[in-house]
């Protein structure tokens, strides 16, 4: 018997370990702690997780895979992490542009939302958003909207990972007459998606200026009761800060901290108008920041002090924000490019926010902003299998001297070729496998007619 066991051990040592997938690429950009970029690299995957990342020869020797994806002329990288958006608003894309925020909201968005936003609208809008996101390399996104349960259903259909926040706002919304209704809705939502492999449900008080202090505190309490994160817009405009100073003699960051809103896992979007004291609070409370360069530029909100945030080692990720007027798309490649350039122009120093840091913000630092860095954000053994390949056989991709520079300043979302989330292939050869793209695009045009009619 003992001899037999030793024999079995001997045989299994000879045989390669089984894997579900091996991906190979010309460069594997791991974003691991050593920042390894492996030329002729490979990734082995089993189930939902990465087994190993390493040189192709080593991985192939060690693992026997059921399926392979060989991309000899592509970068294999961690999936991109969007830390702030509103997916379903894709159906309002371009409804009104080049307006002041207040006019845009009051004349277009609020009436259009009041007349059109139903669960079915949110389902199709989220499908459209997820389709665009996955095709451009986003594997995790952070959402704030209404009917967030439907957002979660559509995300799971897509196969995307999402931190999804049910919006709490101090006036009647499409899914709640009062903030108390919205909190009750959020409570049910958090219970339903607790422990989901793809969804991290969250509470999303819209902002300090659209909620009462009591509601903000109730949001924090609800999130903590469920062990869930809280996501919020913070100091997006100078107006928001001026109003807070006039009313409370405190900045929005100071006021939210005084209310205890940061006492738990938090992701704050924008943080454009934050001073040194605010940054010290955000750092000490471990608040993740979603920097949204396209949105801040398009709405003329200002430039977030990201260079300073990075010097303090804050967890700053990137987000496209709204598809309906504050950006109009979900392209994380554009956000990397703009984040890098915006810091150069505002500090007058082109060395600030280098390409490698922009990639870091779109991957592992973004994961840190969401409090998910142990699960996603890099290609390492034990992490979730969320990865993408980006083709290098196009004019804008050659010659290649530095992979990070190429990813940030030359490659486009449309160069993304394959996308996997949680071990499931969602995109192959730039085609969505989980969604019927033509059907979703046709539906979006149908909704355009309905929305236009509703505004007459
Ligand atoms: Zn937003």
């Amino acid at each position: 018997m003992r001899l037999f066991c030793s024999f079995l051990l001997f045989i299994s040592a000879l045989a390669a370990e089984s894997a579900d997938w091996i991906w190979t690429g010309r460069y594997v950009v791991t974003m691991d702690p050593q920042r390894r970029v492996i030329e002729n690299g490979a990734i082995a995957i089993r189930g939902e997780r990465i087994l190993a990342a390493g040189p192709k020869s080593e991985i192939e020797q060690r693992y026997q895979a059921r399926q392979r994806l060989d991309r000899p002329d592509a970068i294999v990288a961690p999936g991109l992490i969007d830390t702030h958006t509103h997916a379903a608003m894709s159906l309002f894309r371009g409804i009104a542009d080049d307006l002041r925020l207040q006019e845009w909201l009051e004349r277009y968005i609020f009436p259009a939302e009041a007349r059109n936003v139903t669960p079915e609208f949110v389902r199709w809008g989220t499908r459209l958003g997820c389709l665009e996101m996955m095709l451009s390399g986003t594997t995790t996104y952070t959402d704030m909207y209404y009917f967030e349960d439907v957002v979660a259903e559509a995300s799971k259909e897509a196969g995307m990972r999402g931190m999804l926040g049910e919006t709490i706002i101090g006036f009647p919304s499409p899914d709640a007459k009062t903030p108390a209704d919205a909190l009750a809705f959020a409570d049910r939502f958090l219970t339903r998606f607790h422990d989901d492999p793809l969804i991290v449900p969250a509470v999303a008080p819209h902002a300090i200026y659209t909620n009462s202090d009591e509601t903000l505190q109730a949001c924090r309490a609800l999130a903590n009761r469920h062990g869930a994160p809280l996501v919020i817009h913070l100091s997006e405009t100078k107006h928001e800060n001026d109003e807070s100073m006039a009313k409370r003699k405190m900045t929005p960051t100071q006021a939210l901290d005084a209310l205890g809103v940061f006492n738990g896992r938090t992701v704050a979007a924008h943080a454009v108008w934050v001073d040194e004291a605010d940054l010290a609070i955000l750092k000490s409370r471990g608040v993740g920041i979603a920097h949204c360069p396209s949105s801040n530029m398009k709405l003329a909100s200002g430039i977030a002090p990201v260079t300073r945030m990075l010097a303090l080692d804050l967890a700053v990720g990137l987000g496209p924000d709204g598809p309906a007027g504050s950006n109009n798309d979900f392209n994380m490649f554009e956000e990397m490019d703009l984040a890098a350039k915006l810091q150069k122009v505002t500090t007058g120093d082109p060395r600030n926010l280098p390409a490698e840091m922009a990639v870091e913000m779109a991957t592992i630092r973004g994961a840190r902003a969401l409090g998910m860095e142990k699960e996603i954000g890099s290609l390492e053994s034990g992490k979730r299998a969320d990865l993408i390949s980006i083709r290098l056989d196009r004019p804008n991709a050659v010659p290649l001297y530095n992979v990070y520079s190429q990813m940030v300043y030359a490659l486009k979302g449309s160069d993304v070729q394959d996308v996997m989330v949680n071990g499931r292939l969602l995109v192959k050869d730039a085609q969505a496998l989980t969604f019927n793209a033509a059907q979703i695009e046709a539906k979006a045009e149908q909704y355009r007619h309905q929305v236009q009619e509703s505004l007459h």
Side-chain angles (χ1 to χ4, degrees):
M1 187 64 193
R2 187 136 167 234
L3 199 73
F4 182 65
C5 287
S6 320
F7 178 69
L8 280 184
L9 279 173
F10 175 65
I11 293 292
S12 63
L14 276 184
E17 289 178 52
S18 73
D20 291 321
W21 283 94
I22 286 180
W23 279 39
T24 66
R26 185 166 145 209
Y27 297 99
V28 172
V29 175
T30 63
M31 300 312 287
D32 68 7
Q34 298 78 42
R35 294 289 180 271
R36 282 185 305 158
V37 174
I38 307 162
E39 198 167 346
N40 294 318
I43 305 286
I45 295 149
R46 189 190 297 142
E48 301 170 349
R49 295 190 185 268
I50 295 169
L51 289 167
K56 182 168 175 265
S57 53
E58 270 178 33
I59 297 289
E60 285 177 339
Q61 204 169 33
R62 206 169 136 199
Y63 298 100
Q64 184 75 45
R66 288 192 302 114
Q67 297 180 82
R68 291 183 63 98
L69 191 79
D70 290 301
R71 295 297 187 206
D73 207 4
I75 291 170
V76 173
L80 305 180
I81 298 171
D82 165 343
T83 57
H84 181 70
T85 195
H86 311 274
M89 291 182 82
S90 58
L91 291 178
F92 295 131
R93 189 194 320 266
I95 186 176
D97 289 307
D98 311 319
L99 297 173
R100 286 190 183 280
L101 180 65
Q102 229 39 45
E103 190 185 359
W104 174 73
L105 280 175
E106 283 162 17
R107 269 189 54 198
Y108 295 93
I109 291 299
F110 289 153
E113 283 185 334
R115 289 165 207 167
N116 293 285
V117 176
T118 61
E120 273 319 279
F121 179 97
V122 170
R123 192 177 306 282
W124 284 102
T126 305
R127 282 174 177 156
L128 178 62
C130 285
L131 177 65
E132 187 184 340
M133 284 188 247
M134 67 166 104
L135 288 173
S136 55
T138 297
T139 53
T140 295
Y141 76 108
T142 311
D143 196 69
M144 290 172 76
Y145 209 54
Y146 307 107
F147 300 111
E148 206 65 30
D149 54 339
V150 176
V151 175
E153 287 168 8
S155 282
K156 285 171 69 71
E157 237 177 73
M160 298 261 306
R161 194 180 299 288
M163 178 180 280
L164 308 179
E166 168 64 19
T167 294
I168 317 287
I169 197 158
F171 48 79
S173 72
D175 64 1
K177 286 196 178 67
T178 64
D181 287 350
L183 283 158
F185 189 112
D187 195 1
R188 291 191 299 274
F189 170 64
L190 292 166
T191 302
R192 180 173 163 201
F193 289 95
H194 182 71
D195 271 342
D196 189 279
L198 290 174
I199 307 301
V200 177
V203 184
H206 172 266
I208 191 170
Y209 62 92
T210 47
N211 280 295
S212 70
D213 291 358
E214 295 69 32
T215 301
L216 290 164
Q217 287 173 317
C219 287
R220 179 77 270 170
L222 178 65
N224 287 1
R225 204 156 61 237
H226 286 270
L230 180 149
V231 297
I232 189 166
H233 293 105
L234 174 69
S235 282
E236 179 176 0
T237 62
K238 184 166 183 302
H239 177 74
E240 176 182 341
N241 269 47
D242 291 347
E243 207 179 66
S244 176
M245 291 305 289
K247 191 174 148 197
R248 307 164 183 267
K249 298 202 167 35
M250 284 190 279
T251 64
T253 299
Q254 288 169 335
L256 288 169
D257 191 42
L259 289 169
V261 173
F262 298 144
N263 294 342
R265 189 171 161 199
T266 309
V267 185
H270 301 298
V272 173
W273 295 89
V274 285
D275 61 18
E276 274 300 311
D278 293 334
L279 291 176
I281 291 171
L282 296 171
K283 168 89 181 167
S284 73
R285 301 292 182 201
V287 174
I289 309 290
H291 174 46
C292 306
S294 288
S295 170
N296 298 160
M297 291 168 79
K298 190 158 182 288
L299 297 175
S301 302
I303 304 176
V306 175
T307 300
R308 188 66 196 131
M309 291 173 184
L310 292 171
L312 294 167
D313 196 29
L314 286 176
V316 198
L318 296 174
D321 197 12
S326 67
N327 181 338
N328 296 22
D329 65 15
F330 298 97
N331 185 349
M332 286 289 290
F333 281 81
E334 203 172 85
E335 301 309 316
M336 286 196 282
D337 178 80
L338 290 175
K341 289 172 180 168
L342 205 48
Q343 289 308 302
K344 298 172 196 324
V345 78
T346 189
T347 60
D349 186 344
R351 294 171 300 180
N352 283 328
L353 220 164
E356 185 179 338
M357 177 54 79
V359 175
E360 183 178 308
M361 290 169 74
T363 56
I364 188 65
R365 196 174 283 263
R368 245 181 78 197
L370 303 185
M372 295 174 76
E373 71 275 17
K374 289 195 174 71
E375 288 286 83
I376 57 172
S378 60
L379 301 179
E380 290 178 80
S381 172
K383 282 205 171 177
R384 298 277 175 177
D386 291 8
L387 58 161
I388 61 175
S389 79
I390 315 157
R391 57 193 301 176
L392 293 172
D393 59 352
R394 285 191 176 154
N396 60 308
V398 291
L400 189 150
Y401 295 96
N402 179 301
V403 281
Y404 297 115
S405 293
Q406 215 82 333
M407 283 175 76
V408 175
Y409 302 126
L411 298 174
K412 313 289 168 206
S414 51
D415 294 324
V416 170
Q417 210 166 358
D418 313 289
V419 178
M420 174 175 273
V421 176
N422 217 36
R424 181 182 181 198
L425 199 62
L426 308 188
V427 175
K428 191 176 182 206
D429 292 311
Q431 300 296 318
L433 303 178
T434 49
F435 271 158
N436 179 340
Q439 183 197 23
I440 292 170
E441 287 157 19
K443 200 78 185 177
E445 273 302 310
Q446 278 178 30
Y447 270 108
R448 176 177 65 85
H449 292 294
Q450 179 189 312
V451 170
Q452 276 179 331
E453 285 292 311
S454 78
L455 288 178
H456 285 313

